[in-house]
Amino acid sequence: MADTIRILVADDQADILDALRLLLSDEGYDVTAARSPVEALGRLEASDFDLAILDLNYTRDTTSGQEGFDLMERIRALDPTLPVLVVTAWSSVAGAVEAMRRGARDYIEKPWDDERLLVTVRTQVDLRRALRKSHRLQEANTRLQRGATPVFVCNSPGMLEVRQTIERIAPSDASVLITGEHGTGKEVVATRLHALSDRRTRPLVTMNAGGLAEGIAESELFGHVKGAFTDARFDRIGCFELADEGTLFLDEIANMPVRLQAQLLRVLQTGEVQRVGSSRMRFVNVRVLSATNACLPAEIAAGRFREDLLYRLNTVVIHLPPLRDRREDITPLAVHFLAHYSARYRKPIEAFAADALDVLMAHSWPGNVRELAHSIERAVLMADGGARAVTARDLNLPRVPRAGTSPDAHSLEEAERIFIEKVLARHDGDVRLAAQQLGMSRSALYRRLQQYGIRE
Ligand SMILES: Nc1ncnc2c1ncn2[C@@H]1O[C@H](COP(=O)(O)OP(=O)(O)OP(=O)(O)O)[C@@H](O)[C@H]1O
Ligand SMILES: [Mg+2]
């Protein structure tokens, strides 16, 4: 039947597998069991699933959860849209927090409550179906909306200043480096800079500087001529020429291979590009914007980024603070996304219930504005048909054990503190590496270390 929902369950304990299989098959789900991470990956490669439920610990290494995390990472590489639920012992809050950080949608505590587990499963399955449909719609919309000035919601002092800076420098040709954690709005800033500049009627070309193999990246940037290499059957225009008279946005600039950085620097100095395999120089008039979530001075110190290139890119630097450091933006952003998604899904919802606002303010938003947008989209989809307000239940943000519910109940902050300590210990106290793994800037990590009294 086309509508059968397929769930993969991975656990090394036969009794847990049996219990889950019975429970889920009774509900009409088609359940496939896997006894090891290798078997789970094999199953996922062989066919399509709607949901995966994973244990974090397997026999080889039964406490750290590392095997489970590795498995999650490989699953994300295979299918980034597959929702993953993790099963953890109730005492392992830090494990659950880390799993959520790595993209798990929710977690199930062992021993579980059958009703609650089924609700969690149903929510994720419905959500996946709805999101798939909406993303197809979204793609169609973005193609139409190209060129419009993106909405930039802000209320915190830091972001109001960012908005002013954008308005002030947009009309100039200054190179702008945009920094900030994942999901803080770097692309929104780049798009706005272009849309408010005199180049707005010309193209804004985005290139992900880290996403391509070195040889391909070179021809992507500069183009190539027929015969330049084996597969080059036609001349091809590169991003620089495509962006002529317009704006070139180099995303994830820290990931650009060092050799390509040297070539980029040369083009920025001379304003001339040479297609791969051609000796002809072509003059281009391009404004360059770039973005990164890495700490470029640290990348320079490690020999992975050219200092002279940084000075070409950072005439102006716009730093976007993580959402948890600008809480005044949470409500206005939430209201903005609510209007957007209730219009898109034709729901009459126009407000947040008080408990929903509390939950939004209490959450630490490791995924920043993108996570907030996704949470509101999900809440709008999940809210009852006639509801006028989003409730805390619709938001379904990661549940954290309340104080007093178990002997070692932790608040979210406590869980975060333990988590940071663990990551720091894993990197022998190296703050740079720990910050990288946590996906936060070094200064943000330092602030937390002080806040939690881990370091002076
Ligand atoms: N100030 C804002 N106002 C309105 N929407 C915003 C704002 N900041 C971010 N968003 C929205 O949040 C989402 C993430 O933003 P964006 O893609 O710009 O982040 P990013 O910093 O480029 O992330 P990444 O590092 O993962 O590429 C987008 O849907 C964007 O529209
Ligand atoms: Mg981006």
Side-chain angles (χ1 to χ4, degrees):
M1 203 170 74
D3 260 7
T4 309
I5 292 163
R6 306 197 60 214
I7 300 182
L8 178 75
V9 183
D11 201 309
D12 58 335
Q13 284 171 270
D15 51 339
I16 299 223
L17 278 184
D18 287 342
L20 282 172
R21 192 179 1 213
L22 268 178
L23 176 67
L24 294 167
S25 335
D26 268 359
E27 290 291 305
Y29 296 115
D30 175 1
V31 182
T32 302
R35 295 289 296 267
S36 67
V38 175
E39 194 185 341
L41 285 170
R43 300 276 187 187
L44 284 168
E45 265 166 24
S47 55
D48 255 354
F49 287 90
D50 294 286
L51 177 73
I53 302 180
L54 312 177
D55 186 23
L56 284 182
N57 298 309
Y58 296 83
T59 34
R60 248 189 305 143
D61 161 10
T62 46
T63 48
S64 73
Q66 196 51 49
E67 278 185 283
F69 294 141
D70 290 347
L71 177 57
M72 279 186 54
E73 225 122 89
R74 313 235 342 235
I75 291 179
R76 288 193 73 174
L78 269 179
D79 178 0
T81 65
L82 179 71
V84 173
L85 297 177
V86 297
V87 182
T88 67
W90 57 263
S91 55
S92 161
V93 177
V97 171
E98 177 153 2
M100 306 280 304
R101 253 191 195 291
R102 292 178 185 227
R105 287 288 179 71
D106 208 336
Y107 64 92
I108 296 162
E109 285 171 48
K110 258 191 301 200
W112 62 80
D113 168 70
D114 282 356
E115 243 344 278
R116 175 144 220 171
L117 186 147
L118 290 174
V119 169
T120 309
V121 165
R122 216 170 297 132
T123 306
Q124 293 305 333
V125 167
D126 289 352
L127 187 62
R128 173 169 162 97
R129 304 216 146 173
L131 284 179
R132 276 193 163 172
K133 214 189 306 161
S134 99
H135 287 158
R136 279 196 294 269
L137 252 171
Q138 195 172 1
E139 265 170 39
N141 278 346
T142 33
R143 256 177 262 129
L144 291 176
Q145 280 167 9
R146 210 183 294 156
T149 313
V151 182
F152 190 74
V153 178
C154 59
N155 185 38
S156 63
M159 290 303 280
L160 287 167
E161 204 177 303
V162 165
R163 184 159 75 178
Q164 251 183 12
T165 308
I166 295 173
E167 268 149 36
R168 200 165 341 116
I169 62 169
S172 76
D173 274 344
S175 303
V176 184
L177 173 66
I178 308 158
T179 61
E181 287 179 13
H182 276 306
T184 45
K186 298 184 293 296
E187 187 158 354
V188 177
V189 171
T191 315
R192 213 172 149 80
L193 280 167
H194 174 73
L196 296 176
S197 77
D198 299 335
R199 296 170 178 265
R200 75 182 73 90
T201 56
R202 308 291 305 173
L204 165 65
V205 177
T206 299
M207 169 168 163
N208 186 325
L212 296 166
E214 190 160 327
I216 299 173
E218 187 181 344
S219 104
E220 185 85 14
L221 257 187
F222 310 121
H224 64 242
V225 292
K226 184 173 155 191
F229 43 87
T230 333
D231 288 337
R233 270 169 300 200
F234 306 99
D235 282 11
R236 176 164 193 258
I237 189 170
C239 288
F240 262 101
E241 284 179 73
L242 271 176
D244 198 16
E245 312 267 310
T247 306
L248 176 59
F249 175 40
L250 300 170
D251 206 357
E252 317 256 9
I253 188 80
N255 298 337
M256 182 178 270
V258 175
R259 208 173 59 84
L260 199 58
Q261 292 176 26
Q263 292 167 311
L264 172 63
L265 179 66
R266 213 169 318 123
V267 173
L268 295 179
Q269 284 165 340
T270 61
E272 286 178 324
V273 289
Q274 211 173 354
R275 293 186 185 174
V276 178
S278 155
S279 55
R280 182 169 155 212
M281 301 298 263
R282 295 162 202 260
F283 181 77
V284 285
N285 168 5
V286 167
R287 181 202 200 167
V288 175
L289 308 176
S290 48
T292 181
N293 54 12
C295 168
L296 285 182
E299 294 300 300
I300 291 170
R304 287 189 293 261
F305 201 81
R306 291 183 66 120
E307 190 169 16
D308 44 9
L309 177 57
L310 174 64
Y311 293 127
R312 280 278 160 182
L313 298 174
N314 72 353
T315 312
V316 180
V317 177
I318 294 184
H319 177 67
L320 302 177
L323 190 54
R324 61 186 167 276
D325 290 348
R326 45 177 167 115
R327 303 203 154 261
E328 302 95 320
D329 292 339
I330 295 176
T331 309
L333 279 166
V335 168
H336 163 72
F337 291 130
L338 180 64
H340 178 78
Y341 290 117
S342 47
R344 176 187 295 171
Y345 296 117
R346 298 173 192 216
K347 296 246 185 152
I349 313 171
E350 48 207 22
F352 289 96
D355 66 345
L357 284 176
D358 289 348
V359 168
L360 289 173
M361 292 305 286
H363 188 58
S364 68
W365 302 111
N368 294 298
V369 185
R370 179 176 297 113
E371 184 189 358
L372 177 61
H374 285 167
S375 300
I376 306 288
E377 178 173 16
R378 178 170 63 185
V380 168
L381 281 165
M382 287 297 136
D384 290 337
R388 304 233 154 233
V390 168
T391 63
R393 201 176 57 95
D394 299 329
L395 284 165
N396 190 32
L397 283 167
R399 280 170 286 120
V400 173
R402 257 162 282 118
T405 52
S406 66
D408 67 342
H410 303 296
S411 67
L412 182 55
E413 280 188 353
E414 176 74 350
E416 186 177 69
R417 184 182 64 74
I418 294 172
F419 181 47
I420 288 178
E421 276 178 340
K422 275 198 179 156
V423 173
L424 207 55
R426 192 178 304 156
H427 293 290
D428 296 325
D430 186 327
V431 173
R432 189 180 67 81
L433 292 177
Q436 225 169 39
Q437 183 181 347
L438 290 160
M440 53 172 78
S441 69
R442 267 196 301 176
S443 52
L445 180 54
Y446 272 122
R447 268 199 302 283
R448 281 198 171 41
L449 293 179
Q450 282 177 346
Q451 180 190 336
Y452 294 137
I454 303 174
R455 290 215 183 149
E456 287 307 301

